[in-house]
Amino acid sequence: MANFCLSGGGVKGIAHLGALKALQEKGVKFESFSGTSFGALVACAVNFGLDYQEFLDRTKSFSLFDPKGIAWSKRGLLNHKKVVGVLKDIFRDIYLEDLNGETWICYTDFDEGRPVYVNKGPLVETLTASMSIPGMFLPVKINGKNCYDGGLTDNLPVTPLINAGKKPIVGLNCNPRKSTGEKTNIRDILERTFLLVVNGNVTPQMEKCDIYLELEPMAKVRAIDFKSVDEAFNAGYQFTNDNIDKFETIIPK
């Protein structure tokens, strides 16, 4: 049994699913998960028992830029109606403690400037907060606080697993520091800037993992390119198999 910490990174996070499938095929069992943003979504989906192919199909059919989702607000471009609708369709109104295994979600308390780690309470509300990029989305109000994407303060949330005494901890980072390709427009530059800022809090966390893998092929995938879902999944699966020696201590003999 191993405990997995999954980073955020938008659509790049689909690579987590490919990595987990590769490890499952080797007989690795999942004891618990922690995750930020899209990594938290993957963690919840796996512990909910959602079929991998269904997850991929739902993600491919999603689009952020729906007229119904426009916020018309100075605080963010998009509201949460589209995201919440999709999440409710999958998870309904369940609580985190209803999942098949222990699952921690990290979001950022924007008012206090700190990460919050949660393994109880309404799943959809917490997950929406963890995936809400500032400026793009309106904040999610939790206990009267403005809450945003967990990647702002902890994009590889090993802390709750450590505090719970979990061993071994496997960290998967779908947001490589190195980039590939020329950034030719403002959108790509802003996306790269945000991901670099987010990655700044990963370094001290990766050193706390017993096993750590940076999913390098995700350098080629854009965080909000939902057409790259299959590419991200297949790359995560193949890259994990190519580096399977890193996981020898958790693969059953």
Side-chain angles (χ1 to χ4, degrees):
M1 299 284 278
N3 306 276
F4 285 80
C5 179
L6 309 181
S7 77
V11 172
K12 298 170 184 279
I14 291 290
H16 291 317
L17 205 65
L20 294 174
K21 184 174 190 295
L23 293 171
Q24 272 189 319
E25 289 178 351
K26 299 294 184 182
V28 175
K29 303 294 185 184
F30 310 141
E31 180 181 352
S32 64
F33 283 94
S34 67
T36 288
S37 197
F38 209 96
L41 173 59
V42 171
C44 289
V46 171
N47 268 347
F48 183 68
L50 189 67
D51 178 76
Y52 284 15
Q53 189 58 53
E54 182 179 352
F55 186 100
L56 296 178
D57 291 341
R58 285 178 178 271
T59 307
K60 282 186 283 189
S61 66
F62 183 77
S63 173
L64 279 175
F65 303 105
D66 185 318
K68 295 179 181 178
I70 297 175
W72 305 112
S73 169
K74 295 179 181 179
R75 304 184 72 189
L77 298 174
L78 304 171
N79 60 44
H80 303 103
K81 291 180 181 177
K82 183 73 179 292
V83 173
V84 169
V86 172
L87 294 179
K88 288 262 189 182
D89 190 44
I90 298 172
F91 299 110
R92 302 183 294 279
D93 293 312
I94 71 168
Y95 281 56
L96 279 165
E97 54 266 43
D98 296 328
L99 294 172
N100 296 325
E102 187 174 1
T103 309
W104 291 86
I105 293 177
C106 173
Y107 64 81
T108 295
D109 179 332
F110 201 65
D111 300 334
E112 299 289 336
R114 64 182 180 87
V116 178
Y117 310 105
V118 178
N119 69 341
K120 291 183 171 68
L123 185 153
V124 169
E125 177 187 57
T126 309
L127 195 50
T128 302
S130 184
M131 298 193 296
S132 293
I133 299 172
M136 178 177 286
F137 285 100
L138 297 175
V140 175
K141 287 280 190 179
I142 299 179
N143 298 325
K145 299 292 185 70
N146 292 298
C147 300
Y148 280 112
D149 196 300
L152 291 173
T153 49
D154 192 351
N155 203 41
L156 194 68
V158 299
T159 300
L161 298 179
I162 292 172
N163 290 345
K166 302 293 186 180
K167 293 287 274 185
I169 296 174
V170 180
L172 298 179
N173 183 10
C174 68
N175 183 25
R177 187 172 296 276
K178 292 184 179 180
S179 177
T180 60
E182 188 72 19
K183 307 307 177 195
T184 58
N185 57 61
I186 291 176
R187 182 182 64 182
D188 288 347
I189 292 169
L190 289 175
E191 179 183 311
R192 173 66 177 157
T193 301
F194 178 76
L195 291 177
L196 274 176
V197 170
V198 162
N199 229 11
N201 58 54
V202 168
T203 301
Q205 299 294 69
M206 60 186 267
E207 295 171 354
K208 301 172 185 176
C209 298
D210 299 294
I211 300 170
Y212 174 79
L213 183 66
E214 190 166 285
L215 298 163
E216 296 174 9
M218 290 306 95
K220 299 178 181 179
V221 175
R222 294 187 58 246
I224 57 173
D225 182 7
F226 290 92
K227 295 179 181 178
S228 298
V229 167
D230 287 333
E231 176 188 350
F233 177 81
N234 292 331
Y237 177 83
Q238 187 60 52
F239 191 73
T240 302
N241 275 321
D242 290 344
N243 291 273
I244 202 66
D245 57 307
K246 285 181 174 286
F247 303 94
E248 62 181 1
T249 58
I250 63 170
I251 294 175
K253 304 299 183 183

